[in-house]
Amino acid sequence: MKSHDLIIVGAGLSGMRAALEGVKAGIDVAIVTKIHPLRSHSCAAQGGINAALNPQDSRESHAYDTVKGADYIGDEDAIDLMCQEAPEVILEMDRMGTPFSRVEGGLIAQRAFGGASFNRTCYAADRTGQVLLHTLWEQLVKARVKVYEECSVMRLVTDAEKHVAGVVVYDIKSGELFPLRGKGVLMATGGYGRVYLSNTNATTNTGDGMALALRAGAPLADMEFVQFHPTGLRHSGVLVTEGARGEGGYLINALGERFMNKYAPNKLELASRDVVSRAEQTEIIEGRGRDGAIFLDLRHLGKDKILERLPQIRQLALDLEGVDAILSPIPVRPTAHYSMGGIRTDKYGASPLQGLFAAGEAACVSVHGANRLGGNSLLDTIVFGKITGKHCSEYVKRAKLRDFPVGDVESVNASLKELKVRPDKGFRPIALHHRMAEAMNLHCGVFRTPEALREGVAQLPQLREDYQKIHLDDHTSEFNIDLLRAVELGNLIDLSECILKGGVAREESRGAHSRIDFPDRNDAEWRKHTICNWDGDRQEVVLSYEPVRTVGNAEYAPKVRSY
């Protein structure tokens, strides 16, 4: 049986950065990834990464903006840690060779981003995630880190003492299963955007790590907080970076009017994302949109600036909407984008399940609270990839390999074989996924009502029943994507239950969770984290709560949040 000190599931920015810490610590570290590392969804992050590099800015100001942006439910110890570490990790990436855009004189260029009190977002044109990912990949290739490429984790395995023992891996290339023992497992699998029909995420973003951890006994936190990015392309949902507004782009309605002055008179288009998305949705609902969209106007920036700072955005709009941003406004709408929730961890990435760690979007540290600020997601991946990688490397040096229950491999193998031979009862994975995702868009979107949320919960039992009847058209072993999508669908159904139940229970509006019947924030009763656990006996998600971690900073006391 193959074994490693540390198994990292996921090869995006947080997974790669954690692996680099493992190399530095001298441990045996391996990465398991469904796709080639350079296809990880981190490469789709466009706009930039935050850090207080300018002497006129401060780490304290960055932390305050983050606490406020999180609508006062982020864990303050983790926020302080992230913002304190931010400048050093940026300079470290710079030393590794990341080709950041520069100002005259050679300093790293920084642009304005939503919810920030200073222009602190470092960028590389509109391809920031891609250049960071390539930089880290070079380091891992140099270090010869073991990568199990095109392999999907089917189960997070624990021993009799409920301590992580490793994972069961499905080799997509061959269709074979194999066990992988580890002293620790770090989940860096990203988000679950495919829960929603309209989303900015890659097809691989199915929340696998969160769902695997949930079923293994680890808690998830704050799953009801789903960020809807203000600017997804109208038809495809593909992301248009906040950097477009940071460079001076306007949001206009179908009448050609800038409208953000009605909703955020000071920050306008650069208010926090939840505020801007609600403003756009209101314009659309009230009839000032067109075909379910409003418009991002970049024309006044001029051809040269668009081609220098936003070349990918122009090309995406041309290819997917048939619109040249130099000449015409781009049709956009709020689109599911990011999960503030995830595997519950402390500020070092350790979960309550012994031997399990998490970093990046798969984790809920929680630095983003109820609403993430633009530019803080890439920062989260690099900072907590580094911190968690260092912490769990120290952990596995002290730990021992646990007994790996071989029955887990047999159990997974039996379930996959059963899935392949099911009779055709008319249910295909893709059709069931569409039904689930459409229901999530309808019942759990930008604005939420109790009736819609409860209807979403009410549909779950039938969805689970039909999931047990899905039929595969592909019965082969090699590259059976039909099988993989069916397994991923099961993960998404579990996560949709967490999102919906958390949304029903939270009777307030905070950040990305906007209840029509409870329009105000209620700090007295709801300034707390929602915790989701899997009840194996009842076969359902159950909720509990825990307090926000505070540090006693009077500046962080909840107050009216305005932009």
Side-chain angles (χ1 to χ4, degrees):
M1 186 182 295
K2 296 178 182 177
S3 66
H4 301 276
D5 292 332
L6 177 63
I7 300 166
I8 298 174
V9 186
L13 286 173
S14 56
M16 284 195 191
R17 189 61 191 81
L20 192 55
E21 285 303 302
V23 171
K24 291 178 180 178
I27 66 166
D28 177 8
V29 58
I31 293 175
V32 182
T33 173
K34 291 195 290 190
I35 51 179
H36 187 278
L38 292 182
R39 292 188 62 206
S40 300
H41 194 59
S42 298
C43 73
Q46 299 164 341
I49 178 169
N50 294 336
L53 295 180
N54 193 306
Q56 297 176 33
D57 193 11
S58 72
R59 303 173 201 221
E60 291 75 21
S61 177
H62 183 189
Y64 173 77
D65 290 345
T66 301
V67 169
K68 177 183 175 183
D71 216 350
Y72 302 99
I73 203 174
D75 287 315
E76 295 168 6
D77 59 343
I79 291 171
D80 279 348
L81 179 61
M82 179 179 76
C83 297
Q84 287 295 321
E85 293 292 318
E88 176 53 35
V89 299
I90 295 297
L91 296 176
E92 187 177 47
M93 292 302 300
D94 187 38
R95 290 192 294 270
M96 287 184 200
T98 304
F100 287 111
S101 294
R102 305 281 172 170
V103 296
E104 191 171 342
L107 295 176
I108 294 173
Q110 294 183 284
R111 58 170 44 132
F113 248 52
S117 57
F118 199 89
N119 294 3
R120 66 170 66 95
T121 306
C122 311
Y123 62 93
D126 53 359
R127 298 184 177 91
T128 313
Q130 184 178 25
V131 301
L132 290 168
L133 196 69
H134 279 251
T135 301
L136 286 178
W137 178 237
E138 289 172 356
Q139 299 300 313
L140 296 194
V141 170
K142 178 182 177 182
R144 299 182 181 275
V145 171
K146 173 65 177 177
V147 178
Y148 294 91
E149 189 181 321
E150 293 182 318
C151 289
S152 182
V153 173
M154 294 284 118
R155 182 173 294 177
L156 176 61
V157 178
T158 57
D159 66 6
E161 298 175 354
K162 295 302 290 181
H163 190 292
V164 167
V167 291
V168 177
V169 182
Y170 173 72
D171 189 333
I172 301 168
K173 303 180 292 298
S174 65
E176 296 177 353
L177 283 173
F178 63 92
L180 203 56
R181 291 178 76 194
K183 297 176 183 177
V185 172
L186 194 166
M187 289 295 182
T189 50
Y192 54 67
R194 305 308 288 192
V195 159
Y196 286 85
L197 189 62
S198 173
N199 66 84
T200 66
N201 287 195
T203 57
T204 52
N205 286 31
T206 51
D208 300 343
M210 296 183 204
L212 290 165
L214 178 71
R215 289 286 183 137
L220 307 185
D222 293 344
M223 296 295 284
E224 66 267 37
F225 296 118
V226 181
Q227 182 166 89
F228 287 79
H229 196 287
T231 52
L233 289 175
R234 174 176 54 194
H235 292 113
S236 65
V238 167
L239 177 67
V240 175
T241 175
E242 190 165 305
R245 285 172 282 135
E247 295 294 347
Y250 301 148
L251 293 173
I252 60 176
N253 58 27
L255 304 177
E257 305 165 335
R258 285 184 73 181
F259 55 82
M260 281 307 301
N261 62 307
K262 294 186 291 184
Y263 306 97
N266 296 317
K267 296 296 288 183
L268 300 172
E269 282 86 0
L270 290 177
S272 66
R273 288 179 177 175
D274 58 318
V275 172
V276 179
S277 287
R278 283 194 293 273
E280 291 180 356
Q281 197 66 26
T282 300
E283 292 291 306
I284 294 166
I285 290 170
E286 293 181 355
R288 294 184 292 277
R290 183 181 303 154
D291 299 328
I294 49 86
F295 299 89
L296 175 64
D297 192 355
L298 305 179
R299 292 173 295 178
H300 56 286
L301 301 182
K303 178 179 179 179
D304 291 344
K305 189 171 185 178
I306 291 172
L307 293 179
E308 177 194 352
R309 304 281 183 86
L310 303 165
Q312 182 178 216
I313 296 309
R314 176 176 180 255
Q315 196 61 50
L316 287 170
L318 274 169
D319 293 343
L320 301 176
E321 292 289 343
V323 172
D324 188 340
I326 294 170
L327 304 174
S328 305
I330 305 169
V332 294
R333 60 190 170 102
T335 308
H337 178 61
Y338 188 89
S339 167
M340 275 71 76
I343 301 166
R344 186 61 173 145
T345 73
D346 62 17
K347 67 179 182 179
Y348 302 113
S351 86
L353 181 61
Q354 287 297 303
L356 177 66
F357 303 83
E361 193 175 351
C364 183
V365 179
S366 153
V367 286
H368 307 305
N371 171 71
R372 176 176 67 76
L373 292 186
N376 271 355
S377 62
L378 287 179
L379 182 62
D380 175 5
T381 64
I382 301 294
V383 168
F384 289 104
K386 178 180 180 179
I387 290 171
T388 306
K390 183 177 181 180
H391 182 73
C392 59
S393 294
E394 293 170 353
Y395 171 86
V396 299
K397 284 182 177 180
R398 304 187 306 267
K400 64 179 182 179
L401 283 171
R402 297 283 177 152
D403 291 334
F404 193 106
V406 292
D408 280 68
V409 181
E410 295 165 359
S411 171
V412 173
N413 191 42
S415 65
L416 295 183
K417 283 185 176 179
E418 186 273 331
L419 185 55
K420 281 186 177 182
V421 299
R422 279 184 193 170
D424 187 354
K425 295 184 179 180
F427 293 98
R428 296 294 190 277
I430 190 170
L432 200 60
H433 176 248
H434 188 278
R435 195 171 96 201
M436 177 207 68
E438 191 172 49
M440 289 298 291
N441 262 81
L442 183 63
H443 301 307
C444 198
V446 174
F447 290 112
R448 299 169 177 182
T449 66
E451 296 81 12
L453 288 166
R454 291 190 186 105
E455 175 57 29
V457 173
Q459 291 184 17
L460 287 169
Q462 187 62 54
L463 197 63
R464 288 193 182 280
E465 183 179 328
D466 292 344
Y467 178 70
Q468 298 304 319
K469 303 173 187 174
I470 56 174
H471 171 78
L472 304 184
D473 291 317
D474 186 352
H475 300 147
T476 61
S477 297
E478 296 82 5
F479 288 102
N480 190 334
I481 303 304
D482 203 18
L483 175 65
L484 188 63
R485 293 289 178 261
V487 173
E488 292 169 340
L489 176 58
N491 293 335
L492 290 171
I493 292 172
D494 285 349
L495 299 181
S496 67
E497 183 173 343
C498 295
I499 298 164
L500 287 164
K501 286 187 171 179
V504 169
R506 184 171 287 275
E507 295 183 335
E508 66 161 352
S509 288
R510 185 185 296 269
H513 176 65
S514 183
R515 285 278 294 257
I516 298 296
D517 53 331
F518 293 98
D520 300 320
R521 196 180 72 206
N522 182 349
D523 291 321
E525 295 184 44
W526 286 103
R527 194 184 181 215
K528 56 188 177 183
H529 296 294
T530 305
I531 303 298
C532 298
N533 279 286
W534 181 254
D535 188 319
D537 295 329
R538 292 157 56 184
Q539 289 293 292
E540 65 173 337
V541 171
V542 293
L543 304 183
S544 59
Y545 297 90
E546 69 176 41
V548 173
R549 301 195 302 263
T550 58
V551 296
N553 187 337
E555 291 293 316
Y556 296 166
K559 53 183 71 73
V560 175
R561 183 166 163 262
S562 61
Y563 290 98

